[in-house]
Amino acid sequence: MNITPEFINEKTWTKVLNYIALTDKESPYLLIDSELVREKVSLIGKGIRNSKVFYAVKANPDIEVLKLLNSLGTGFEIASEGELQMLASIGVEPERIITSNPMKTFKFLEQAVDYGVTYYAYDSNAEVEKLARHAPGCNVYVRLSVPNEGSEWPLSKKFGVEMDEAAELLLYAKEKGLNPVGITFHVGSQCNNVYNWNAAVDKARDLWEAAGQHGIKLKMLNIGGGYPIRYTKNVVDIETIEKKVNKVICQKLPHDIDVFIEPGRAVVGDAGVFVSTVIGKAKRGDENWLYIDVGVFNGLMESIGGIKYAYVVGSRSDVMTWTLAGPSCDSFDVIDREVELPEPETGNRLLILSSGAYTISYASEFNGFSIPKTILI
Ligand SMILES: *Cc1c(COP(=O)(O)O)cnc(C)c1O
């Protein structure tokens, strides 16, 4: 494993190899390069005027990750009392927390209000009524539905409303004593299509004007998450996305607005490397199967939704084509197919690159396999 593979930051790779060489920690575990997280945090938002970053905690809620981000002064986007409690335990001020889940549980809402959180997303009349009752006077922003084409993890169907309904929802919130401050959207996670942000900001601009005509002066645009990372394909870079977004915002919206950004994947994704062990090999029909100790249920859930990881294995043997599977007895637990890798021995390490986001946060203890630990390096 001496050569830096194609799909990883060189410094991260060196740190990972050193860590593995110097410890004999039992796999599986997830390494996160804290320096790369730092770099990403300082990069994100740099290209957008008046922007503030709120890390989407669901991408990786490990306490050490949250402490690191807290020390860097980032904001946080949360959706549940569990996420809130983690932030409270490390002393994150309520002004640095927002919630963009348009459907909040009662328990979460009560705790968030108690804690002092004042920014809430919504996309229905029922949520306005819930907020008016439990969080009177709070700041609200409406979730607009926008194109998700070209995103590997589309989110558009679950939440968001069209223009007319959004305008009515802003009015309804005002009528119920809430403070309508802005608009949000999500272009879909792992979005590799710059056009989605253009289309979304355009749509938000139309809604902004419509709201103004009804006497509602908005002041915040929340552009959600979606910044992509490199798995096995090159992606559009953050600078390019932000340049385009900033241009549209500057051209089409008032000068003094606040822009919120809620990156999850882009903050921690490519800083993470899963360290696993090959636990078995088998030939089944024409296929070569490789089994490792992390799988779909204890960390690699996104692999069944279309995320294709890059892998590195410690072996100099001939390259073969593998079906890569996890350790559980469920037939869903197949991570990848047609993976080209040199043949490892059982017991060898297998590394999964760019696996810092949406891995541990999705993991369960299904079939008795424990959730891998996260270690910052
Ligand atoms: C998940 C989520 C995010 C983060 O999305 P990424 O694609 O990981 O950047 C941001 N905002 C909301 C409302 C989300 O649900």
Side-chain angles (χ1 to χ4, degrees), residues 216-234:
I216 295 177
K217 192 167 179 294
L218 299 177
K219 54 179 199 240
M220 182 273 276
L221 176 66
N222 179 338
I223 66 168
Y227 290 1
I229 61 165
R230 207 160 63 136
Y231 286 98
T232 49
K233 280 182 263 171
N234 284 329

Side-chain angles (χ1 to χ4, degrees), residues 196-268:
N196 280 6
W197 278 279
N198 279 349
V201 179
D202 267 342
K203 207 165 165 180
R205 190 273 318 259
D206 290 346
L207 176 57
W208 196 285
E209 277 179 4
Q213 282 160 9
H214 287 101
I216 295 177
K217 192 167 179 294
L218 299 177
K219 54 179 199 240
M220 182 273 276
L221 176 66
N222 179 338
I223 66 168
Y227 290 1
I229 61 165
R230 207 160 63 136
Y231 286 98
T232 49
K233 280 182 263 171
N234 284 329
V235 292
V236 52
D237 53 46
I238 292 172
E239 289 96 330
T240 307
I241 294 169
E242 292 198 338
K243 205 169 160 190
K244 290 227 183 257
V245 169
N246 192 50
K247 193 169 160 202
V248 186
I249 290 175
C250 290
Q251 282 171 349
K252 300 185 173 173
L253 287 164
H255 235 64
D256 55 351
I257 73 162
D258 288 321
V259 180
F260 289 3
I261 313 171
E262 304 174 328
R265 191 184 300 277
V267 175
V268 286

Side-chain angles (χ1 to χ4, degrees), residues 56 58 77 100 143 186 189-190 224-227 262-265 358:
K58 75 176 185 293
E77 189 278 317
S100 297
R143 175 121 165 209
H186 200 302
S189 201
Q190 185 66 6
Y227 290 1
E262 304 174 328
R265 191 184 300 277
Y358 302 109

